[in-house]
Structure formats: structure tokens, C-alpha cells
Amino acid sequence: MLTGAVWWIASGRPTPPARLASVGVDHTDVAAAAGRIAPHARHTPILRTELDGRPLVLKLEHLQRTGSFKLRGALNALLGGPRPTHVVTASGGNHGLAVATAARLLDLPATVYVPERAPESKTRRIEAAGAKLVRHGSAYAEAAAAALTEASTSGARYVPAYDDPLVIAGQGTCAAEVVADAPEVDALVVAVGGGGLAAGTVLGAGGRSVVLVEPENCQAMHDALAAGTPVDSVVDSVAASALGATRVGALPFEVVRSGDTRSVLVTDGELLAARDLLWEEFRIAVEPAAAVPLAAWLAGRVEADLPCLVVCGANSEWIPA
């Protein structure tokens, strides 16, 4: 089904919203995903607050099981079709942990491929969740190629990190919770890697604008939007373990381009300062990627009266005193 979507992207034509159904995902799929994953995923809280005299809402998705939003998409992928006998995926860390945990919850064996330099804070949790961990290659793309090979030869269910309708719909349940809990929010602000959360947020935001934030030199979505099609991008950021996709997925790109979105960039210095502020002001300890939305808001790059910043993950080393 992606053939037609890819043709529209390559042609440089704006993708009509109606075409989203033709590639297998729209806002109704988000509602279906919410029902599917409810027995296993947390409905995470929001925090209404203000900084520098300006109001904002924080969606505390770092409190999700596995420490990131990724569990939503992993659960929906495994629950939304025939039950597999074995699950395989590739990940920089958070998606692998989500798939490993979802598989454990559903009593399925799982194998997770990660790059050789994947953070120990994430790989040890993948193994603790019961999955077989395979380190392969220097980058995510190499790990993904090896995982796809195993899945194709073994008949296992491969769960993509972002370029999949069920994964996107699952990630969209995070935005749907925001809309239900804080309907006065006029924009949602999310960090972007491969595009799954970004696309899901567009579908789950109820027509609200979505601000897509990436670190400089780790900006696959920004580059894709500028080029009119997904392109290979440089990956060089302190947040690369979570946001380091070299190319956004074709389906997330189509969904994002059809919505009311704006792409902005932040520096590593800005996102690290935002991460530190989350701890200093709210005692919220997160990984660098989760601070990217706040960095954009602090820098004045979010145009909204009451935005909701999605605090998306907390899987970094944390050593208590």
C-alpha cells in the first residue's frame, strides 16, 4: 500500500489528508489503539505549570512503563493483528525495551538488535525484560538490516520502530490523552527521531498544531520536509541514542506533511540546559531527548498560548547520591 504514498512524496505534491486511510492509518486507528493497549499501558499524568510567567502543560510520558512512550506503539503492533510466535526488532534502545516488555506482557519470545554502542542504561533493561539482545553494527540502520534478515528467514513478526501504521496509531494515544485531559491546549510539542511519535501526535491531536523539535545535526524530519521527501541525514547529537534516525519513515513523513505542523531545531547546549531545568524546577529526571520540546519553548520557537510539551523518556543513567 505504500507504493502510492511514496509516489506522491517523490512527486513533491502535497498529500491529501484523505490518503492517510489508503496507507492504513488515521485518527480512528488511534482510538482503536487506546482500547487495545489500555490493560497494559499507563494513562500518564499531565502537569499544569508555568515558567518565566508563561503557562504550559507537561505530559509526563517518562512515567510510562519502560520509561518512554514507545510501549504504546509496541503493544498496539502486537495486539493489532494475528498473534505472532516470535518477535524481532531493532532499536537504539527505547523501542527495543518497549518491544521486549510488550512481548513479555503477552508471553511472547523476543529478539532485539541494537547498535554496538547502544547505551548500557537501555540494553541492560532490554535483557532484564527477558529479550535476547544482539549487538550488531555501528549504527541503527545496520542493526535494523540484520534484524530484518532474521525476521524474514525465521518467520518472526518484525516490529518497526516508527514506519508502521499500528506503531504510529499506538504512539498517537499519548496525544489523545492530552486532548482528553487538557482540551484547552492549543499545540503539542514533541521530539522527533524516526517520526512515529510525530505522526501519531498529528493523528491524535484533534486538529491542534504540532511543533516538531529536533537537535541540530540530528534532524531527519527537518531535512525531509525541506527536501519534500525523506532523505539521509547526519546523526551527531547528545540525544542521538533516542533521536538518531538517519532517515524518517515514509509513512510518518506522509502523515506529518498532511497535518498542521512546524519544524524547529535546538542546539545540544539548549537541550542539555532544558534537561537540567526539568530537574532543578520540577525534579523530573529525563534523558536528553525528552528535554528537546522544553528547549524549543524556552528559546521562543513555540508559537502557542498554551502548549503541551511531551516529556517522552527517562532511560538514561541515574545514580542516586
Side-chain angles (χ1 to χ4, degrees):
M1 289 192 294
L2 287 179
T3 303
V6 171
W7 181 86
W8 273 82
I9 293 169
S11 71
R13 303 186 185 190
T15 305
R19 285 196 57 81
L20 295 181
S22 74
V23 295
V25 62
D26 61 25
H27 68 281
T28 63
D29 295 297
V30 175
R36 263 187 222 112
I37 72 173
H40 306 290
R42 294 173 183 153
H43 184 125
T44 54
I46 60 168
L47 173 64
R48 291 179 172 87
T49 187
E50 66 176 40
L51 280 173
D52 300 329
R54 294 184 290 161
L56 76 159
V57 174
L58 301 178
K59 173 64 167 171
L60 304 182
E61 189 63 11
H62 69 295
L63 298 178
Q64 185 56 260
R65 295 174 77 165
T66 77
S68 88
F69 70 94
K70 292 282 191 176
L71 182 68
R72 298 172 181 270
L75 281 168
N76 197 46
L78 296 180
L79 291 167
R83 180 180 172 87
T85 57
H86 184 204
V87 180
V88 175
T89 196
S91 171
N94 285 338
H95 173 68
L97 176 57
V99 170
T101 303
R104 184 192 68 203
L105 290 168
L106 302 177
D107 196 24
L108 295 169
T111 301
V112 178
Y113 283 74
V114 298
E116 292 171 355
R117 291 183 289 182
E120 193 272 339
S121 60
K122 298 178 181 181
T123 57
R124 65 179 170 82
R125 291 183 170 101
I126 291 171
E127 291 185 299
K132 176 184 176 183
L133 181 75
V134 180
R135 294 181 181 271
H136 181 87
S138 61
Y140 167 75
E142 296 174 67
L148 281 165
T149 297
E150 176 176 332
S152 64
T153 56
S154 69
R157 166 73 158 97
Y158 182 78
V159 182
Y162 43 82
D163 204 2
D164 179 90
L166 287 168
V167 171
I168 289 171
Q171 315 306 27
T173 62
C174 181
E177 288 177 6
V178 172
V179 170
D181 294 345
E184 69 274 24
V185 162
D186 59 349
L188 284 87
V189 190
V190 296
V192 184
L197 179 61
T201 301
V202 169
L203 296 178
R208 292 163 180 78
S209 65
V210 179
V211 182
L212 315 170
V213 192
E214 296 167 282
E216 292 179 359
N217 300 317
C218 195
Q219 56 190 64
M221 183 63 77
H222 188 86
D223 291 347
L225 291 170
T229 187
V231 294
D232 288 337
S233 297
V234 172
V235 176
D236 183 15
S237 167
V238 69
S241 71
L243 305 180
T246 56
R247 176 186 286 243
V248 296
L251 180 55
F253 176 74
E254 182 179 2
V255 175
V256 163
R257 195 165 67 161
S258 76
D260 178 8
T261 62
R262 180 169 178 260
S263 174
V264 302
L265 302 176
V266 297
T267 67
D268 275 2
E270 287 171 332
L271 72 88
L272 289 174
R275 180 200 60 181
D276 293 347
L277 182 62
L278 282 169
W279 172 250
E280 184 65 26
E281 187 70 24
F282 304 109
R283 298 302 185 267
I284 294 174
V286 296
E287 59 189 286
V292 165
L294 179 59
W297 183 81
L298 290 169
R301 297 175 198 137
V302 174
E303 298 176 2
D305 293 326
L306 183 61
C308 176
L309 316 183
V310 178
V311 184
C312 60
N315 291 320
S316 59
E317 290 296 349
W318 184 256
I319 303 174

